[in-house]
Amino acid sequence: MSNDPILLSKALASFDALWSPRIVTRVNDYDVRIAKVEGEHIWHVHDDTDEFFLVLDGELHISLREPAGERTVLLPQGAVFTVPRGTEHRPYAPDGAAILLFEPTGTPTVGDRHDQIPDHVDATTGHPLNT
């Protein structure tokens, strides 16, 4: 990791792949990741960690399956939200968004448990294949 300042706009401009977070820096044992997202991700759960979202551009929706039922939170640009560990969730961005994630190093994008992963996605990392 570099000890120089990181321009998130420059980092985001360096790739086009959707739902394929890139690590921009680390804080202790946590990765700070950025991603471009559009359309739907898969329903998934992180059993042992919360997942922090910051919307850098656009608008992100996160559907949650909670004990009280299913709900969706709407995150406009500049909003933050933390999905509690063990909560099944599905992020989606109908019109596209850029997000920042804060997660323990090695956290898979598709969580510990998830719906079936589409053929064009790496089952280990959750990153699209051939990007």
Side-chain angles (χ1 to χ4, degrees):
M1 292 284 119
S2 171
N3 287 329
D4 294 323
I6 299 163
L7 290 174
L8 294 179
S9 58
K10 185 176 179 181
L12 283 162
S14 72
F15 66 95
D16 292 320
L18 297 175
W19 299 108
S20 185
R22 304 297 201 266
I23 299 169
V24 291
T25 192
R26 289 193 170 91
V27 179
N28 299 316
D29 296 331
Y30 283 77
D31 292 338
V32 178
R33 304 173 184 184
I34 56 170
K36 293 178 180 178
V37 298
E38 187 172 353
E40 296 181 354
H41 196 35
I42 60 172
W43 281 100
H44 65 283
V45 176
H46 299 280
D47 290 326
D48 300 316
T49 186
D50 300 334
E51 187 171 21
F52 171 88
F53 292 85
L54 164 63
V55 179
L56 301 170
D57 188 42
E59 186 175 87
L60 183 70
H61 304 243
I62 303 176
S63 295
L64 305 158
R65 290 179 176 154
E66 300 171 312
E70 192 171 307
R71 71 179 175 118
T72 298
V73 295
L74 173 63
L75 298 134
Q77 181 176 339
V80 299
F81 184 76
T82 301
V83 175
R85 72 188 73 207
T87 302
E88 191 174 12
H89 60 286
R90 179 183 54 110
Y92 62 98
D95 299 316
I99 61 175
L100 182 141
L101 304 156
F102 189 73
E103 302 173 304
T105 297
T107 300
T109 303
V110 293
D112 301 305
R113 294 178 284 120
H114 48 77
D115 281 354
Q116 183 173 344
I117 298 174
D119 291 337
H120 66 277
V121 174
D122 181 295
T124 303
T125 65
H127 297 176
L129 297 172
N130 301 320
T131 59

